[in-house]
């Protein structure tokens, strides 16, 4: 972390915004590097960056406040014996649309990712996992979120209604 370089990047970003017609006070505010805002779930950060083209600028990202190693939750790809995938269909305010999603959710304090995946699957779909496999880790939104989520797969069978 080089404070002089950060200041240079902030200044160049501010001047670029002003040249695009953004009022000086807003350009000053919008080019400042550091914590932009936070609440009980998120920290919104603005970083000084040098893009691959060599251009200086800023880039915003969101970081979960909870979770182990930045992992706030888990996702699971549940497979029926027919090899069909069990999914959820949820309305999401952010996209203002219905989304087809894998069952997923937050880990509880002290809970292993595997237990969290099994619990979320049962809560959201009523299915229980019978065989478990860790597929790897995914970044749900690499353009904004600073989190890596483990994703699991496994054969499932229906064991009752979903908790939701």
């Amino acid at each position: 972390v080089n404070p002089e370089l950060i200041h240079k990047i902030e200044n160049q970003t501010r001047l670029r915004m002003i040249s695009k017609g953004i009022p000086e006070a807003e350009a000053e505010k919008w080019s400042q590097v550091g914590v932009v805002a936070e609440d009980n779930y998120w920290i919104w950060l603005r970083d000084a960056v040098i893009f691959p083209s060599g251009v200086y600028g800023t880039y915003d990202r969101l970081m979960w406040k909870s979770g182990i190693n930045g992992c706030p939750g888990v996702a699971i790809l549940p497979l029926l014996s027919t090899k069909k995938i069990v999914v959820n269909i949820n309305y999401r305010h952010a996209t203002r649309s219905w989304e087809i999603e894998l069952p997923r959710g937050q880990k509880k304090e002290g809970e292993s990712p595997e237990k969290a995946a099994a619990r979320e699957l049962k809560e959201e779909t009523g299915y229980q996992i019978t065989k478990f496999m860790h597929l790897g880790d995914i970044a749900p939104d690499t353009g904004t979120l600073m989190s890596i989520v483990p994703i699991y797969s496994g054969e499932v069978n229906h064991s009752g209604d979903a908790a939701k």
Side-chain angles (χ1 to χ4, degrees):
V1 178
N2 179 334
E4 289 178 21
L5 182 57
I6 291 172
H7 179 69
K8 182 177 180 178
I9 291 171
E10 287 174 327
N11 190 48
Q12 285 188 7
T13 302
R14 180 181 59 78
L15 293 174
R16 188 169 36 254
M17 288 180 184
I18 291 168
S19 75
K20 292 180 179 181
I22 295 172
E24 195 166 333
E26 287 179 355
E28 177 72 30
K29 181 179 176 183
W30 295 348
S31 63
Q32 293 299 302
V33 169
V35 175
V36 175
E38 67 180 284
D39 65 12
N40 55 325
Y41 297 107
W42 300 97
I43 300 173
W44 173 9
L45 302 166
R46 179 168 299 126
D47 297 322
V49 297
I50 302 172
F51 293 102
S53 65
V55 172
Y56 292 164
T58 59
Y59 201 93
D60 292 7
R61 61 192 166 110
L62 294 173
M63 181 172 67
W64 279 98
K65 280 190 166 180
S66 64
I68 299 168
N69 296 326
C71 172
V74 296
I76 186 161
L77 178 69
L79 300 171
L80 298 171
S81 61
T82 61
K83 303 302 178 202
K84 290 187 177 184
I85 299 169
V86 177
V87 296
N88 290 329
I89 300 175
N90 295 314
Y91 184 83
R92 296 298 183 187
H93 177 75
T95 60
R96 312 293 196 281
S97 63
W98 289 92
E99 305 294 339
I100 298 171
E101 302 174 341
L102 295 178
R104 62 187 176 156
Q106 283 192 305
K107 291 188 327 185
K108 293 181 178 178
E109 187 68 34
E111 187 175 43
S112 72
E114 294 84 2
K115 286 191 187 246
R119 178 184 48 75
E120 287 292 341
L121 177 68
K122 174 72 173 153
E123 286 176 7
E124 294 185 5
T125 68
Y127 282 82
Q128 246 180 327
I129 191 158
T130 57
K131 294 181 184 175
F132 234 113
M133 179 177 27
H134 181 235
L135 296 177
D137 299 331
I138 60 171
D141 183 347
T142 58
T144 307
L145 297 176
M146 188 184 146
S147 61
I148 305 297
V149 176
I151 186 165
Y152 294 89
S153 182
E155 289 186 17
V156 299
N157 58 39
H158 200 264
S159 63
D161 294 330
K164 289 186 178 181

